[in-house]
Amino acid sequence: RYMVNGDKEGNIWVGTAESLNLWDKKTEKFIAYKHDPENSKSISNSEPIVMYEDSKSNFWIGTASGLNLMDRKTGVFTRFYPVPEKASTVGSNIVTSILEDKSGKLWIGTWNSGGIYQFSIESKNFKNYLKGASLLALYEDADGVLWAGTLEGLYKYNPDIDNFIPFTTPGTVGNLPEVFSMVEDKNRNLWLTTHNQIIRINPARNEISAFGQNYGVGQNDFNYLSGYIKRDGEVYFGDTTGYFSFYPDELIENLKAPEIIFTALHLSDKNIKPGDGGPVQENLNTQKEIKLPYNQNVFSIDFTIADYANPAQNRLTYFLENFDIDWHNANSERKAYYFNIPPGKYVFRVKGVNGYGAWAEKKLEIIIMPPWYLTWLAYGIYLLLFIALIFGFDRIMRRRIIEIERRKTQERELAQAKEIEKAYKDLKATQAQLIQSEKMASLGELTAGIAHEIQNPLNFVNNFSEVNKELLEEMNEEIENGNLEEVKLLAKDVIDNEQKINYHGKRADAIVKGMLQHSRSSSGVKEPTDINALADEYLRLAYHGLRAKDKSFNATMNTEFDENIGKINVVPQDIGRVILNLISNAFYAVNEKKKEQIDGYEPTVSVGTKMSGSNLMISVEDNGNGIPQTALDKIFQPFFTTKPTGKGTGLGLSMSYEIITKAHNGELKVENNLTGGATFTIILPI
């Protein structure tokens, strides 16, 4: 056996049963490389089977005892064995095929059920595929698909599952028990040889054609690795007596395609004839489409192939598009049965191949109509009924909500006057309690803030009440004069004013209730509280309180509240005391710094809330002088204060710390700002 190969350097290599040989151009003689048992750098076996040069100019030789990488300059061989424990024997170490794919992976085919190996040059590792198969040929097509020809048949590599799968196609003319060699033509058809046939495969159309005795093929065995295709497209395959050559295009053009014929349509075993108002109006072979009602979804179609050159080798396969998963080989009756096909559009396809490898295809569109209650018209009616139901339900719920809100509004209006009167009395009591409580060090500021805040809504209430009185008197006069248009205008003004009275009355009510909560001794009972409203209320109260004591005091107030917080379960009196204390201290700090008369200094106090994970963060920040570093560790101790004597009791922050940490299981932190001032942060677990 002889094997001839050339490399990129122009060298000619010849493999024989006894050695690997290089033709020396200078001496015009062969240089032989043989296995030397005493030299580990010699070739692993004197019988080379396959030679291959990869994209990096590495020269590989597959032998009967492993894989060899040759250094052509030094003549040194490096050996690699797919099965190391059998390195000195044959078996899986017989290398029959070598191929580098487009991604640079090196594939090694072996004999004697060894399978295929993917070889990594870097790690020197072999990864085994198709264990149990004996490889004859490896080929990569123009689409980058890797094919493996084995004694057991043809396999195709699937990169999604990283494995080789058998290649089968319906209507195969004979089996593919072994594949010796492969080439690909310009139309991307694969041409391969088996024991006694030349096979054409169109992977895109899932078609296979066999060329055997009808073409003079099959008298002798083909050799493996004997396939070759010239630049002009001519294909060569060698066998034990010589070789075959042909041009694929000329061969295919001379093939006469068979004829596919639809012979009958059966509905529930009843033969349907053309006409008579049935689904078949003309000859079944000329009709393009058949429509069937939903209750006639059990049918069968008879078909046949017309080719009389070699009828025994004719093959048929069928497929119902949008229903079948794969093609089916036709049975001896050449009939396709389908049961309970759901409504939809389908295409029945039949493909046939004759003994000469020529293919033909015929199709018939089948539409199963849906029942009336599953049509688009029915769906439209369902949608309209659903919308009407939702609309009716929405109107009923809206009426109920409006009625409930109207009743609540009436109740609130009746209680409004009593609440305002009671608020004045409660306010005086609250002021008296604040004066006597040591916990409220900011008594003066708070009282002045209350007076300022409540005065505005009360002034509005009084003013609009007087205006309404005058409007009602004018209305009486217009009624007596019979001027109804003027009466309507006056009535509208009265209603508008009443709404304003109601709004400002609620405002006063909210202020009073907030102060009542603040002045009331803590019950320790938590209740849902609007933290944003509470913080905003005490910010303004503290500001106006300081303004009442010192008219020259002024500061910028910033708020940044998280609107998504909602109501938080806390003790409102206690949290109010803490927030008021921190804000009052912040105003004191910025006022003290302003007395230093620093150019461009703008006293600023900022209050904010936000959610951080499962914690609520309340921050009070000022741009004053900050807290001395030596006082940071003592700031929450009782009776410790940074204010001058007489300005503070030292109980405010310690009381705040007790309320946050013990009553609410939270944290109270303080830190100086890099730009000046300090920030107190309340952390409450929610």
Side-chain angles (χ1 to χ4, degrees):
R1 181 180 65 184
Y2 292 89
M3 177 175 52
V4 181
N5 204 351
D7 62 19
K8 297 177 182 178
E9 298 176 0
N11 298 317
I12 298 176
W13 298 83
V14 179
T16 70
E18 299 177 351
S19 63
L20 173 68
N21 303 274
L22 170 63
W23 176 255
D24 190 334
K25 299 177 182 178
K26 296 180 179 179
T27 63
E28 295 187 350
K29 294 182 179 180
F30 280 103
I31 301 174
Y33 297 91
K34 296 185 178 182
H35 173 65
D36 182 358
E38 304 298 328
N39 183 4
S40 62
K41 296 183 179 180
S42 66
I43 191 168
S44 62
N45 190 286
S46 295
E47 183 181 1
I49 298 175
V50 60
M51 291 178 283
Y52 187 82
E53 186 174 17
D54 64 20
S55 60
K56 297 180 181 178
S57 296
N58 295 316
F59 193 63
W60 302 90
I61 303 97
T63 73
S65 298
L67 179 68
N68 295 262
L69 174 60
M70 180 183 183
D71 187 333
R72 284 168 287 186
K73 294 181 179 179
T74 62
V76 172
F77 293 83
T78 303
R79 305 172 185 176
F80 304 96
Y81 298 99
V83 185
E85 63 269 19
K86 298 181 181 179
S88 61
T89 64
V90 290
S92 297
N93 285 320
I94 300 178
V95 178
T96 57
S97 304
I98 304 174
L99 174 70
E100 181 187 24
D101 65 20
K102 294 179 180 179
S103 63
K105 297 177 182 177
L106 194 65
W107 299 86
I108 310 299
T110 65
W111 189 249
N112 201 18
S113 303
I116 301 175
Y117 292 87
Q118 186 186 115
F119 179 61
S120 172
I121 301 177
E122 292 76 15
S123 64
K124 308 297 187 295
N125 291 329
F126 288 89
K127 183 177 180 181
N128 191 218
Y129 300 83
L130 279 183
K131 185 67 174 179
S134 297
L135 263 292
L136 294 169
L138 283 172
Y139 191 82
E140 185 180 29
D141 64 22
D143 295 323
V145 178
L146 187 62
W147 300 84
T150 74
L151 278 180
E152 293 73 25
L154 181 64
Y155 291 83
K156 178 180 179 181
Y157 179 67
N158 186 338
D160 294 332
I161 61 174
D162 188 27
N163 207 349
F164 286 83
I165 58 176
F167 179 79
T168 58
T169 178
T172 300
V173 181
N175 297 321
L176 299 179
E178 67 282 301
V179 175
F180 289 105
S181 59
M182 286 179 280
V183 296
E184 183 182 22
D185 64 24
K186 63 182 180 180
N187 296 318
R188 299 193 175 182
N189 295 310
L190 284 179
W191 293 86
L192 49 92
T193 56
T194 66
H195 175 66
N196 57 4
Q197 287 181 319
I198 296 176
I199 303 294
R200 178 180 70 95
I201 295 177
N202 186 331
R205 291 180 52 83
N206 203 27
E207 293 178 354
I208 181 170
S209 302
F211 302 89
Q213 294 182 2
N214 294 336
Y215 291 85
V217 179
Q219 304 300 320
N220 298 291
D221 289 341
F222 283 97
N223 294 325
Y224 80 93
L225 298 178
S226 64
Y228 177 73
I229 185 167
K230 292 172 61 178
R231 291 183 180 179
D232 63 356
E234 188 174 9
V235 176
Y236 290 83
F237 286 116
D239 66 4
T240 56
T241 63
Y243 66 89
F244 291 89
S245 68
F246 57 90
Y247 288 94
D249 289 344
E250 295 179 0
L251 184 63
I252 300 303
E253 287 174 1
N254 294 329
L255 293 179
K256 182 179 180 181
E259 182 181 2
I260 308 298
I261 302 172
F262 293 134
T263 57
L265 170 68
H266 298 269
L267 296 179
S268 300
D269 293 330
K270 180 182 178 182
N271 186 22
I272 304 301
K273 297 181 179 180
D276 299 332
V280 180
Q281 299 300 318
E282 53 187 274
N283 187 287
L284 191 59
N285 283 289
T286 58
Q287 187 154 334
K288 302 298 183 183
E289 177 185 284
I290 293 178
K291 290 186 178 181
L292 300 175
Y294 73 95
N295 56 357
Q296 292 184 358
N297 59 349
V298 176
F299 61 88
S300 62
I301 300 177
D302 295 356
F303 49 88
T304 188
I305 179 172
D307 189 278
Y308 307 104
N310 194 348
Q313 293 190 13
N314 292 341
R315 296 290 186 273
L316 284 167
T317 180
Y318 64 91
F319 178 77
L320 185 60
E321 192 175 292
N322 295 330
F323 183 78
D324 284 334
I325 298 175
D326 206 347
W327 289 80
H328 303 281
N329 288 322
N331 54 26
S332 59
E333 296 179 303
R334 296 185 175 179
K335 180 190 293 283
Y337 293 92
Y338 290 99
F339 302 90
N340 298 323
I341 306 300
K345 291 185 177 181
Y346 306 91
V347 179
F348 181 68
R349 299 181 182 273
V350 178
K351 292 168 66 174
V353 60
N354 61 18
Y356 291 94
W359 284 85
E361 181 176 350
K362 193 175 184 64
K363 65 180 180 178
L364 176 64
E365 186 171 332
I366 299 175
I367 301 175
I368 307 296
M369 304 300 294
W372 68 267
Y373 51 83
L374 293 179
T375 61
W376 286 111
L377 177 60
Y379 289 143
I381 294 174
Y382 301 153
L383 179 61
L384 291 176
L385 291 175
F386 180 74
I387 293 174
L389 181 62
I390 295 298
F391 181 74
F393 179 76
D394 179 70
R395 286 182 63 87
I396 293 173
M397 293 304 298
R398 284 178 180 272
R399 289 177 182 175
R400 289 184 179 180
I401 293 172
I402 292 173
E403 185 63 29
I404 292 172
E405 290 298 323
R406 184 182 293 114
R407 193 181 305 116
K408 289 181 179 180
T409 301
Q410 291 174 350
E411 292 174 356
R412 286 194 296 267
E413 290 175 352
L414 292 174
Q416 189 68 45
K418 294 181 181 179
E419 287 292 335
I420 293 177
E421 183 179 357
K422 183 175 178 295
Y424 278 113
K425 295 179 181 179
D426 291 342
L427 179 60
K428 293 181 180 179
T430 300
Q431 290 175 335
Q433 291 176 8
L434 290 175
I435 293 173
Q436 296 176 4
S437 176
E438 179 62 27
K439 293 181 179 180
M440 304 305 298
S442 57
L443 172 64
E445 294 89 340
L446 183 61
T447 305
I450 294 169
H452 180 275
E453 283 294 297
I454 204 170
Q455 189 62 46
N456 286 336
L458 291 178
N459 287 341
F460 279 111
V461 170
N462 292 335
N463 291 340
F464 284 120
S465 296
E466 291 178 3
V467 171
N468 272 359
K469 180 180 178 182
E470 295 175 0
L471 291 174
L472 291 173
E473 290 175 355
E474 292 181 18
M475 187 185 298
N476 286 332
E477 293 177 2
E478 297 297 336
I479 291 174
E480 292 177 359
N481 295 333
N483 192 351
L484 293 180
E485 292 299 325
E486 189 65 28
V487 170
K488 290 180 181 179
L489 294 175
L490 292 172
K492 182 178 182 303
D493 292 340
V494 171
I495 292 172
D496 292 342
N497 290 342
E498 282 299 321
Q499 290 177 346
K500 295 174 182 177
I501 291 172
N502 184 34
Y503 170 77
H504 292 290
K506 290 178 182 178
R507 174 69 183 146
D509 177 56
I511 294 170
V512 172
K513 285 182 178 178
M515 293 308 102
L516 287 175
Q517 280 190 333
H518 190 82
S519 63
R520 195 177 297 127
S521 297
S522 174
S523 63
V525 177
K526 295 182 180 180
E527 57 186 73
T529 303
D530 189 338
I531 294 296
N532 291 343
L534 192 69
D536 185 64
E537 192 74 38
Y538 284 113
L539 175 64
R540 288 183 286 99
L541 290 176
Y543 175 76
H544 291 306
L546 290 175
R547 285 274 299 169
K549 294 174 62 177
D550 183 2
K551 297 298 182 182
S552 65
F553 171 75
N554 202 356
T556 299
M557 296 181 291
N558 294 328
T559 59
E560 187 174 352
F561 297 137
D562 187 345
E563 298 299 333
N564 296 321
I565 291 176
K567 292 189 176 182
I568 305 301
N569 218 29
V570 296
V571 182
Q573 301 97 321
D574 290 348
I575 295 298
R577 291 190 181 101
V578 174
I579 293 175
L580 181 62
N581 183 272
L582 297 180
I583 293 174
S584 297
N585 287 345
F587 279 133
Y588 175 83
V590 298
N591 194 36
E592 289 298 306
K593 185 172 182 178
K594 186 174 183 180
K595 293 178 181 179
E596 299 175 8
Q597 297 183 349
I598 300 174
D599 290 341
Y601 175 67
E602 179 71 24
T604 304
V605 173
S606 302
V607 179
T609 61
K610 70 175 182 178
M611 290 298 298
S612 178
S614 60
N615 295 325
L616 169 64
M617 317 284 285
I618 307 173
S619 60
V620 178
E621 180 182 355
D622 65 71
N623 63 343
N625 290 318
I627 301 172
Q629 194 66 33
T630 55
L632 280 175
D633 295 336
K634 306 175 185 178
I635 198 71
F636 297 120
Q637 295 179 5
F639 303 108
F640 179 83
T641 180
T642 58
K643 297 177 182 178
T645 304
K647 295 289 186 178
T649 63
L651 293 175
L653 287 178
S654 66
M655 174 199 71
S656 300
Y657 188 82
E658 291 288 323
I659 290 172
I660 297 302
T661 58
K662 293 185 177 181
H664 291 81
N665 296 321
E667 296 182 65
L668 180 58
K669 296 182 178 181
V670 61
E671 60 181 356
N672 285 320
N673 303 327
L674 295 176
T675 56
T679 299
F680 283 82
T681 304
I682 301 170
I683 304 174
L684 297 177
I686 304 306

